[in-house]
Amino acid sequence: MIKENLNIGLFGFGCVGEGLYQVLNESKLLNASIKKIVVKNKEKERNIGAENFSYNKYDILNDPDINLVVELIDDADAAFEIVKKAMEKGKHVVTANKKMVANHLEELIEIKKANGVSFLYEGAVCGSIPIIRNLEEYYNNDCLTSINAISNGTCNYILTRLDLEKASFAEILKDAQLSGFAESDPTLDIDGFDSKFKLSILIAHAFGVVVAPDEIINLGIRHIKEKDLTYAKEKGYKIKLISQARKIDNTIEAYVIPQFIAKDSYAFDINFEFNGVLIEAAFSDKQVFKGKGAGAFPTGSAVLSDISSLQFLYDYEYKKRHQDGLQLATDFLIKIFVSSANEKSLNDITLSTVEESYTSKNYAYKVGLINKSQLTYEFYSTHPELFIAVAAD
Ligand SMILES: NC(=O)c1ccc[n+]([C@@H]2O[C@H](COP(=O)([O-])OP(=O)(O)OC[C@H]3O[C@@H](n4cnc5c(N)ncnc54)[C@H](OP(=O)(O)O)[C@@H]3O)[C@@H](O)[C@H]2O)c1
């Protein structure tokens, strides 16, 4: 039974906002319509009439007829203010802003509870893949043991092309920017920040622990060298940027680091802009989701699904929150591969055991265990000569 008619106030009419507008128009089943759209730039040409738009956020926030705010802007700080105010005014909120959700999740959950509204964000993680609602509803117990994801389409697109072509990282990145797969400032994507925002949201729904993104280590793909790709090919591996969280006793070991992926892994066949998620649970064993991780329609369809579930007053219940004693692990060992064109620079990183090492005139690497606490983004960003990846098992 449908419970609510939804009068939508939409913030943002860019890639996802316009995508949502179109998918909403195509959907006949929904009892929802967009009453007003707030955007920023008065000079921009739009594909629909000017009467739909406003530049004043209070035209939505102060409108008592609007009962749902859909927030699809590209400014996480402004988005947080909008979302907070909307919920305080008793409006449900749907967003796709992973940075905003990951950085403020604890506070947002409290605000939503205090105001008795729903707050949904399926589009924030892995585009069209329905992962959050699955973690909330299907895996609503404590049997889940691990979650492993390719959650950044830009990195996966670049890594796939590097695997297939002779072109350099810089050339492929430029091409990806021109064809809209990468932002003009690619830092959030290629240095793994975007993936860790998503991982922190996944951890909240998979394990019930709200983890600040700053607590998760992210080493991106920027330092990859041609010889690393050759090494991977010779061994029959691909390199993928993987977000991983694994429950070990009462801790969660989490990181975003490139990994060497063998042929029998689900991740081997997740290519180009596609995303994939592998869930492992005690009794259901392994399950894989694959789909388009970004773009107007894939993300628009995830937002549409949130809107549609709101007609039935759906909300996340965070059922696994406050499981006894479960917390993020600060200290654990990871088996890594570290390479450099200059053998001496490998001494800048201390492995606790070395299982394999190789040196030639212009390339050297080591494989061994390292304590996660030694791997920091600050260290990595000041050592561009090193490429670090999780070694294959
Ligand atoms: N693109 C994707 O594939 C994708 C996938 C998953 C999640 N997301 C998330 O979805 C959100 C939107 O991304 P997008 O790619 O659609 O961004 P976008 O194409 O850059 O569009 C951003 C929109 O936000 C509007 N805007 C910016 N600041 C505003 C403000 N203070 N008040 C009102 N409107 C404002 C812009 O207005 P103007 O039109 O006037 O410039 C524009 O319409 C982001 O949080 C992003 O992380 C995107």
Side-chain angles (χ1 to χ4, degrees):
M1 189 179 71
I2 289 182
K3 300 265 176 59
E4 280 214 80
N5 287 339
L6 296 170
N7 259 333
I8 299 173
L10 173 63
F11 282 89
F13 199 69
C15 173
V16 184
E18 192 164 352
L20 171 71
Y21 183 89
Q22 290 184 33
V23 292
L24 198 57
N25 277 346
E26 297 280 313
S27 169
K28 304 278 177 281
L29 282 178
L30 269 182
N31 212 354
S33 56
I34 295 176
K35 186 172 180 200
K36 186 59 68 189
I37 305 171
V38 167
V39 284
K40 194 174 175 186
N41 184 347
K42 291 185 179 164
E43 312 302 323
K44 224 184 226 177
E45 270 191 37
R46 312 281 172 184
N47 291 328
I48 59 171
E51 69 283 1
N52 293 288
F53 295 98
S54 157
Y55 304 91
N56 179 355
K57 63 183 176 185
Y58 292 105
D59 284 349
I60 287 179
L61 294 173
N62 286 343
D63 184 338
D65 290 341
I66 290 177
N67 54 1
L68 166 60
V69 164
V70 177
E71 181 284 301
L72 297 171
I73 73 173
D74 58 342
D75 173 339
D77 295 334
F80 178 58
E81 291 310 314
I82 289 165
V83 164
K84 198 161 76 163
K85 193 62 98 223
M87 292 201 281
E88 284 167 357
K89 285 184 175 275
K91 300 180 195 304
H92 304 300
V93 170
V94 170
T95 177
N97 199 319
K98 53 251 166 179
K99 184 176 180 188
M100 188 267 299
V101 174
N103 280 328
H104 299 282
L105 189 53
E106 191 88 57
E107 192 179 349
L108 288 166
I109 295 172
E110 293 312 314
I111 298 172
K112 142 198 130 105
K113 274 192 193 156
N115 294 283
V117 292
S118 292
F119 174 53
L120 303 174
Y121 39 82
E122 188 67 70
V125 183
C126 296
S128 65
I129 299 177
I131 188 63
I132 299 177
R133 221 173 307 154
N134 264 297
L135 290 172
E136 274 286 301
E137 304 305 324
Y138 185 83
Y139 299 98
N140 62 355
N141 48 55
D142 60 356
C143 297
L144 206 145
T145 52
S146 134
I147 186 153
N148 180 298
I150 291 180
S151 63
N152 185 276
T154 305
C155 288
N156 210 41
Y157 175 86
I158 293 171
L159 290 170
T160 303
R161 285 195 51 191
L162 280 171
D163 182 51
L164 295 172
E165 299 169 23
K166 269 268 161 244
S168 70
F169 188 95
E171 283 165 336
I172 293 178
L173 174 60
K174 192 149 192 227
D175 208 20
Q177 285 167 324
L178 288 173
S179 48
F181 285 115
E183 305 279 339
S184 50
D185 176 2
T187 307
L188 285 185
D189 288 325
I190 68 174
D191 290 335
F193 288 95
D194 175 84
S195 296
K196 81 169 177 174
F197 297 143
K198 292 167 180 166
L199 183 59
S200 107
I201 298 171
L202 287 172
I203 290 172
H205 291 276
F207 301 111
V209 181
V210 176
V211 174
D214 285 352
E215 294 178 61
I216 300 173
I217 169 72
N218 58 301
L219 308 183
I221 64 169
R222 199 189 280 270
H223 300 180
I224 198 164
K225 298 177 290 299
E226 203 184 323
K227 290 215 161 86
D228 300 317
L229 294 156
T230 308
Y231 167 88
K233 267 215 172 104
E234 281 171 6
K235 301 256 179 188
Y237 299 144
K238 287 182 184 174
I239 301 171
K240 302 279 183 188
L241 184 66
I242 299 285
S243 310
Q244 178 155 316
R246 188 183 289 148
K247 187 167 147 191
I248 308 282
D249 302 324
N250 270 339
T251 65
I252 297 157
E253 297 183 353
Y255 51 79
V256 175
I257 305 181
Q259 288 191 23
F260 288 101
I261 302 293
K263 253 197 178 83
D264 59 355
S265 163
Y266 86 97
F268 196 87
D269 296 318
I270 310 282
N271 292 316
F272 293 103
E273 73 273 30
F274 278 86
N275 282 191
V277 183
L278 169 72
I279 290 176
E280 289 184 72
F283 305 110
S284 53
D285 204 359
K286 295 183 180 180
Q287 283 170 315
V288 175
F289 298 78
K290 178 182 175 184
K292 286 203 168 152
F297 294 137
T299 313
S301 78
V303 175
L304 182 80
S305 174
D306 277 349
I307 295 173
S308 142
S309 74
L310 265 173
Q311 289 194 304
F312 303 92
L313 297 180
Y314 179 73
D315 197 11
Y316 305 139
E317 289 178 58
Y318 303 93
K319 298 184 191 93
K320 286 168 266 184
R321 257 186 111 198
H322 308 306
Q323 278 183 50
D324 276 351
L326 197 57
Q327 57 186 352
L328 196 71
T330 48
D331 240 8
F332 57 93
L333 293 172
I334 312 178
K335 187 171 154 189
I336 62 158
F337 163 100
V338 52
S339 73
S340 173
N342 164 13
E343 188 202 356
K344 271 198 189 132
S345 58
L346 291 182
N347 295 332
D348 291 344
I349 188 159
T350 312
L351 301 181
S352 49
T353 58
V354 177
E355 293 182 14
E356 193 186 332
S357 64
Y358 168 86
T359 304
S360 69
K361 197 169 160 227
N362 295 318
Y363 189 59
Y365 69 79
K366 286 181 184 171
V367 175
L369 293 173
I370 190 165
N371 194 304
K372 175 254 163 193
S373 57
Q374 286 203 48
L375 292 176
T376 64
Y377 177 73
E378 290 64 33
F379 167 80
Y380 201 47
S381 55
T382 51
H383 288 76
E385 69 284 2
L386 299 177
F387 172 64
I388 296 177
V390 175
D393 287 335

